[in-house]
Amino acid sequence: MILNEGRVIVELMVNHESRTVTVRPSDVLLDVLRGQLGLTGAKPGCKNGDCGVCTVIFDGWPVKSCLVLAVEAVGHQILTVEGLGGVAPVQKAFVDSGAFQCGYCTSGFLMVCHALSLNKPRAEEYEIEEWLQSNLCRCTSYKEIREALKTVFQSLS
Amino acid sequence: MGTAAGRSVKRKEAWDKATGNAKYTDDLPSLGHLTARLLTSPHAHAKIKNINKVAAFGVKGVKAVITGLDITALCGVLLQDRPHLAKDVVRYAGEPVAIVVAADEPAAISAAGLIEVEYEPLAHVLTPRAALKPGAPLLHDNPERYKRMVEDIYPQPKSNIASQYRIRKGHADTGFALSHMIVEENFYLPPSDHLAMEVRAARAEISADGMVTITTASQSPYSVIKQLSQSFSVPEGNIRVKVPFVGGGFGGKAPVLLEHLAYIASSKVGGRPVRLVITREQDMAAAPCRMGLEASVKLGCDDTGRLKAAELRFWLDCGAYADIGPYMAKSLASNCTGPYRVDNLYCDSLCVYTNHTYATSYRGFSHAEFTFCIERTMDELAKRLNIDPLKFRLINAVSPGDSSPTQVSLNPSNLGDLKACLKKLKPLSGWNGAVVPVDEHTVRAKGVSCLWKSADLPANAISGAMITFNPDGSLNLNTGVVEMGSGSKTQLAQILADKLDVDINQIHVKMSVDTRVNPEHHKTVASMTGYMAGNAVLRAAEDILAQLKTTGAEALGCSSDDIIVKGGAVYSLRNPLNKIRLKDIASGYKAPDGSSIGEPALGRGGFMLKGLSTLDPKTGKGQTAPAWTVGAQAVEVEYDTIEHTYRIISASTVIDVGMVMNPEAMRQIIRGGMAMGISMASREAYSYDQNGLLTTPTLRTYKLMHIGQEPDYRVEFVETPQEGSPYGIRSMSEHGIIGIPAALANALSNASGFSLNTLPLTPESLWKKSGGVSS
């Protein structure tokens, strides 16, 4: 028996690779990244766009992948924490500054910080706050995340 | 001894977390798993009249719909008062009523929505003092008939009292008669949430031969074994619990909840692997939260400012089920005065059922809550005496020679140096007691608070460590400690590296826990990892050193007393140039003549708490903990006297940690605790509507502190070593939170002139305090 139940096969560009996935129209990008591509760096935290632990970079801009339909991602460039490859300056900065404790929000913060450093390499303090307020961390005091970002900006200037 | 102790060492798992490589429970592959979802109660208190599963079974892929009628066992770590799934009655909004197991998540979600439950609402009660009034609805018909899992829990018949503890020391009446000034204050603190960023998750499968495997985001893998075995009569040895990285716990992942439900789900589908996923909303409403508290605090002191007496009444809101609530009430009673000498003491601490979500351990284990009440009252007393609040605390600071509320003699080992903390806090926080005008309607003010905490653990709690070598001479450290953010496994690696005098990079730490492999560590709670697991690691290190020395002595032809293990090599102090590298001796030594010498070195160390007792039910006398950590904190606010908004300028902590093992990591942990305290005290609360339904079960309605709202954090340490603790370290992981709500309330009380005795301290609550009209 052949069923389709509204599922479609789509091609996604994830971390500079073309990946083929089968999705329902209502599937969100987060679930497809995690469930079909094994890219579990993006986490579920609220599935409501409030916490930012699912953040990925979409055509250069941070988005909450729990609020993006997988089919909306077709034809766009998706970058996840796995795509940073351990060589993005924010990653070393987070390690050096102790910008995480439990680590669950870290991928999301890394993606926001990485996108910010690419988009606004001379971001003012208020812009940094505005960007980072999209995400929540329960373990750190935020001071460490700010310090990590500061070292990234210093290396850019 | 090497150089790894006392240095800032990066987390062992840092790069795993910075690359997305760290796996948490629901990150593990789930191919082949069925998905389970919960249906929860929409009523605070109601009879379940009927449950109709027919429509739910109509959804394609549904394998099982399980309700309370399918399970007879009750559970509870102290008192077996909680059904796994509500049966006949629901006692809080959010209580699990049914589980659906289906082929995939969409089917499970659809089917859960199609279960028809008929309820008959009952009267509900939402605050502990209301729950104690005559005629209040009773949550449990006969709480005293529930099975008690510990001896020191005292549920009272025909009441909502899950347990009660009393402290009687000296003569409170005499103390008040000698007092020159007496103040009495009343407090209300609503429940709130741990809000770990990782929602709780669990998986279960049961093999054909009855072996149970649970994978879970838990702080207590070894408790999962014991409680699951108890509930479902599975031999403990047949249960294996696996815990990968945990995305924050803060006490909320210490109780056993989803593990039971995942097991039930798997057992109803022939043992197939089941993945139980809950929503953030369920994590907040269904799973246990932080306790609420009502309190009445009366303190008296003489004309020199010395406390003479305290009469303290605490009503802890444990919600619908006891869970660990009674022990939080006990812990609260044990330390009820805060770190002050009070010779005449009367304290009643009651753990009371309400129709709130049930409560469990939360960072500080009731200490942030009672500290709020004591420290606010201390400030009111200081104000009336016209004594500087910091000086007032110095006058009364508990010292060696005093005794704790439970009459434990305090000495420089079991008690940190509070006076030293207060003296350091003054310059650190810039304390001068003043309210400083900034402009026409803005002022700056500071508030201080002291803190103390002892770790209440079972008298026989254990920990263990095992050490093996890799072929290159590096070591593997294996403990049952869960890595959930506190970095304690890195601290354990420091202890091992230091003891064996090897580079910290030569220590590999097994991060995940598998109870088949890792030796038991009681629970990763109470900030006791450094003390308990640290002692186990020290002993394992000594064990492996002894083995290396024995083999070394044979290989080098000398006495083992002459053998030195240092810098990754073994040698005789009589011939230091003839070194055998660890890699050449750790697996036994091959002599130049080809003969085999010694055996592979395998280190093992165990530790058990000793000398602790229960409290005397009449007086509260008893040894509750090995030691007390003390500290002092301050918060500075800038307050708008018209708008009642405020900004937190700075937050300072000085804490006696015994020994600064890892300076940077310890500052980070303390700052994190302060941040959690500021967030909790300034905005977090479970709000309930008139029907007893939680109105704030999402992160859109339940606000946490975001970046940009944080103050300037200042942290300093005092080092008074604790005997019997590795390197003299003291517990400190939870402590950053404890005095912050009080210090914030004291700062805002100073700034506003109001007496602020409730949380959270929102601008709206301050505006109401002002009379609720714009000036």
Side-chain angles (χ1 to χ4, degrees):
Chain A
M1 186 166 47
I2 297 172
L3 298 172
N4 77 21
E5 296 180 329
R7 286 179 169 79
V8 290
I9 297 171
V10 299
E11 186 186 16
L12 298 179
M13 279 303 291
V14 182
N15 299 336
H16 314 297
E17 290 172 3
S18 165
R19 306 296 299 265
T20 304
V21 293
T22 308
V23 301
R24 302 179 316 149
S26 59
D27 284 340
V28 294
L29 180 59
L30 173 67
D31 291 341
V32 172
L33 290 172
R34 290 173 56 82
Q36 292 196 45
L37 301 180
L39 297 170
T40 55
K43 311 290 186 204
C46 66
K47 293 276 196 97
N48 199 38
D50 297 327
C51 73
V53 300
C54 66
T55 305
V56 299
I57 297 180
F58 190 104
D59 289 341
W61 294 86
V63 298
K64 289 165 175 168
S65 64
C66 74
L67 295 183
V68 177
L69 294 173
V71 292
E72 290 181 289
V74 174
H76 297 276
Q77 293 286 339
I78 305 300
L79 186 69
T80 72
V81 69
E82 290 87 351
L84 296 181
V87 293
V90 283
Q91 291 177 293
K92 183 168 188 306
F94 266 56
V95 169
D96 290 345
S97 301
F100 47 82
Q101 290 178 22
C102 85
Y104 199 80
C105 74
T106 311
S107 304
F109 266 106
L110 283 168
M111 299 320 280
V112 176
C113 292
H114 184 66
L116 177 59
S117 68
L118 296 182
N119 280 283
K120 291 180 177 281
R122 291 175 208 289
E124 307 270 345
E125 197 68 12
Y126 79 90
E127 290 174 301
I128 292 174
E129 278 183 13
E130 209 168 277
W131 275 60
L132 268 57
Q133 278 179 349
S134 59
N135 289 43
L136 286 169
C137 170
R138 189 57 155 170
C139 300
T140 74
S141 70
Y142 291 126
K143 174 186 165 79
E144 300 82 6
I145 293 173
R146 274 179 186 253
E147 279 175 1
L149 197 51
K150 204 176 286 173
T151 61
V152 173
F153 278 112
Q154 276 163 1
S155 70
L156 291 174
S157 63
Chain B
M1 290 286 173
T3 54
R7 259 193 326 122
S8 288
V9 170
K10 289 195 176 61
R11 287 172 177 277
K12 280 286 173 185
E13 78 285 11
W15 276 102
D16 276 338
K17 288 179 174 173
T19 54
N21 193 40
K23 299 291 181 208
Y24 301 78
T25 296
D26 208 41
D27 292 343
L28 301 173
S30 58
L31 195 62
H33 283 67
L34 300 172
T35 299
R37 280 277 185 168
L38 299 182
L39 175 72
T40 60
S41 163
H43 295 282
H45 199 191
K47 276 185 188 162
I48 300 175
K49 304 286 282 183
N50 187 41
I51 301 182
N52 185 343
K53 311 177 187 177
V54 175
F57 272 115
V59 175
K60 189 179 157 193
V62 170
K63 304 291 178 192
V65 179
I66 309 155
T67 71
L69 293 174
D70 301 315
I71 312 149
T72 51
L74 293 174
C75 63
V77 63
L78 304 177
L79 185 68
Q80 301 241 299
D81 62 354
R82 186 168 67 81
H84 295 286
L85 291 169
K87 191 177 176 182
D88 306 328
V89 61
V90 288
R91 297 184 174 94
Y92 68 96
E95 180 163 3
V97 170
I99 308 172
V100 176
V101 189
D104 57 29
E105 204 170 322
I109 293 170
S110 302
L114 291 171
I115 301 171
E116 295 162 16
V117 188
E118 199 185 319
Y119 294 99
E120 181 188 314
L122 299 168
H124 64 270
V125 61
L126 293 177
T127 59
R129 289 174 84 169
L132 294 177
K133 285 189 179 146
L138 292 180
L139 270 84
H140 300 266
D141 289 337
N142 301 102
E144 78 285 5
R145 289 192 200 157
Y146 288 128
K147 185 175 176 189
R148 297 170 207 200
M149 305 306 288
V150 291
E151 59 182 289
D152 54 346
I153 177 165
Y154 313 100
Q156 300 298 306
K158 302 266 176 289
S159 81
N160 285 317
I161 299 175
S163 195
Q164 56 187 9
Y165 301 90
R166 64 167 62 139
I167 305 288
R168 304 287 184 268
K169 187 180 155 189
H171 302 280
D173 291 346
T174 316
F176 282 115
L178 293 172
S179 293
H180 160 77
M181 182 74 75
I182 296 170
V183 294
E184 186 168 358
E185 298 283 326
N186 288 287
F187 299 91
Y188 175 68
L189 283 68
S192 67
D193 201 35
H194 309 82
L195 226 298
M197 295 317 298
E198 180 200 23
V199 168
R200 295 167 178 89
R203 296 178 181 186
E205 57 186 284
I206 309 163
S207 68
D209 59 352
M211 296 295 160
V212 177
T213 304
I214 304 284
T215 307
T216 173
S218 172
Q219 297 174 235
S220 314
Y222 302 88
S223 299
V224 173
I225 294 180
K226 290 166 193 169
Q227 292 183 42
L228 203 66
S229 168
Q230 215 279 329
S231 261
F232 305 107
S233 303
V234 181
E236 290 173 339
N238 287 11
I239 303 169
R240 172 184 188 182
V241 179
K242 299 199 269 188
V243 178
F245 281 114
V246 172
F250 315 112
K253 288 171 180 164
V256 182
L257 169 68
L258 295 192
E259 298 86 350
H260 285 149
L261 298 178
Y263 170 82
I264 291 166
S266 177
S267 72
K268 300 293 180 191
V269 292
R272 290 177 66 177
V274 171
R275 159 183 177 251
L276 176 56
V277 183
I278 62 172
T279 61
R280 173 60 70 184
E281 290 77 1
Q282 289 175 335
D283 196 62
M284 295 183 76
C289 61
R290 175 187 144 251
M291 59 178 261
L293 185 68
E294 286 184 280
S296 149
V297 173
K298 185 173 155 190
L299 298 179
C301 66
D302 67 15
D303 55 3
T304 65
R306 279 198 176 277
L307 290 171
K308 296 314 268 181
E311 185 179 321
L312 314 172
R313 294 171 204 276
F314 295 99
W315 298 274
L316 188 156
D317 178 358
C318 74
Y321 298 104
D323 196 76
I324 201 79
Y327 272 9
M328 289 196 285
K330 184 179 82 160
S331 189
L332 188 163
S334 305
N335 291 335
C336 60
T337 53
Y340 304 112
R341 176 178 169 169
V342 182
D343 293 337
N344 301 299
L345 172 61
Y346 176 107
C347 170
D348 279 345
S349 177
L350 274 64
C351 181
V352 185
Y353 289 124
T354 69
N355 292 107
H356 280 150
T357 296
Y358 68 100
T360 193
S361 49
Y362 175 98
R363 192 174 200 157
F365 205 63
S366 79
H367 284 61
E369 292 78 10
F370 83 75
T371 298
F372 181 85
C373 309
I374 294 297
E375 294 291 334
R376 278 290 305 124
T377 311
M378 287 293 282
D379 252 35
E380 289 301 317
L381 196 48
K383 193 159 91 186
R384 293 206 207 155
L385 288 164
N386 204 19
I387 298 184
D388 176 86
L390 197 144
K391 190 178 164 199
F392 184 50
R393 286 167 171 84
L394 265 174
I395 292 171
N396 289 291
V398 70
S399 310
D402 297 340
S403 72
S404 82
T406 68
Q407 303 180 47
V408 177
S409 296
L410 300 169
N411 60 56
S413 167
N414 69 9
L415 180 71
D417 188 343
L418 180 59
K419 286 180 181 165
C421 293
L422 278 164
K423 284 172 189 161
K424 264 190 150 175
L425 181 71
K426 197 172 175 183
L428 183 70
S429 65
W431 172 264
N432 59 9
V435 177
V436 182
V438 177
D439 59 36
E440 246 171 68
H441 56 89
T442 313
V443 294
R444 279 196 181 198
K446 299 186 179 99
V448 291
S449 169
C450 291
L451 68 93
W452 78 342
K453 184 179 185 298
S454 58
D456 263 335
L457 285 181
N460 55 356
I462 60 170
S463 189
M466 300 196 299
I467 302 166
T468 55
F469 274 102
N470 295 307
D472 64 356
S474 63
L475 295 105
N476 304 308
L477 176 57
N478 169 0
T479 66
V481 173
V482 171
E483 174 45 58
M484 55 185 176
S486 68
S488 48
K489 288 188 134 166
T490 302
Q491 188 188 43
L492 297 177
Q494 281 182 278
I495 291 176
L496 178 57
D498 195 70
K499 192 78 185 161
L500 292 189
D501 189 22
V502 297
D503 189 285
I504 185 77
N505 294 318
Q506 294 296 302
I507 310 290
H508 302 282
V509 178
K510 185 174 184 304
M511 283 293 163
S512 60
V513 172
D514 178 342
T515 59
R516 276 272 179 271
V517 178
N518 305 82
E520 176 170 345
H521 175 70
H522 168 65
K523 294 176 183 177
T524 307
V525 298
S527 310
M528 283 292 270
T529 300
Y531 180 72
M532 291 180 52
N535 267 315
V537 169
L538 268 185
R539 289 170 192 187
E542 279 158 12
D543 185 38
I544 213 160
L545 272 176
Q547 295 170 42
L548 290 171
K549 286 183 178 182
T550 302
T551 307
E554 198 179 339
L556 294 167
C558 64
S559 157
S560 63
D561 293 341
D562 293 342
I563 293 289
I564 306 286
V565 180
K566 193 172 168 56
V570 174
Y571 56 91
S572 163
L573 58 84
R574 295 173 196 286
N575 185 6
L577 294 178
N578 186 17
K579 287 189 165 72
I580 305 176
R581 286 182 297 173
L582 278 182
K583 80 179 185 67
D584 296 324
I585 197 168
S587 303
Y589 182 66
K590 190 179 171 191
D593 67 0
S595 62
S596 302
I597 293 172
E599 289 156 357
L602 305 165
R604 64 115 187 94
F607 180 79
M608 188 179 204
L609 283 181
K610 300 221 166 68
L612 305 184
S613 67
T614 54
L615 300 183
D616 180 286
K618 290 198 177 74
T619 64
K621 191 174 178 187
Q623 176 86 37
T624 53
W628 282 256
T629 299
V630 297
Q633 300 185 296
V635 168
E636 180 180 14
V637 295
E638 188 171 289
Y639 173 70
D640 184 321
T641 56
I642 295 174
E643 302 276 336
H644 304 293
T645 53
Y646 62 91
R647 219 154 51 86
I648 301 172
I649 306 297
S650 69
S652 308
T653 297
V654 182
I655 180 168
D656 189 342
V657 294
M659 182 265 187
V660 182
M661 179 61 91
N662 187 340
E664 265 315 304
M666 289 166 76
R667 279 189 207 106
Q668 288 158 11
I669 291 290
I670 292 291
R671 285 198 295 260
M674 287 197 274
M676 202 166 176
I678 289 169
S679 185
M680 186 248 270
S682 62
R683 67 205 74 190
E684 292 179 39
Y686 271 15
S687 295
Y688 287 84
D689 68 12
Q690 58 188 11
N691 296 318
L693 306 187
L694 182 61
T695 60
T696 50
T698 74
L699 282 163
R700 200 157 298 177
T701 48
Y702 183 98
K703 290 293 186 187
L704 300 185
M705 184 163 65
H706 285 71
I707 211 161
Q709 298 162 336
E710 77 278 12
D712 172 21
Y713 294 101
R714 302 166 192 176
V715 181
E716 280 189 18
F717 299 117
V718 167
E719 297 180 283
T720 311
Q722 177 186 334
E723 284 167 27
S725 184
Y727 297 83
I729 57 171
R730 294 179 184 274
S731 301
M732 51 75 66
S733 299
E734 297 164 87
H735 301 57
I737 196 172
I738 294 174
I740 289 293
L744 176 64
N746 283 340
L748 283 169
S749 295
N750 288 340
S752 67
F754 310 136
S755 183
L756 299 170
N757 290 354
T758 61
L759 291 179
L761 296 159
T762 60
E764 185 185 350
S765 72
L766 290 159
W767 172 71
K768 282 181 177 160
K769 196 83 187 170
S770 78
V773 286
S774 306
S775 52

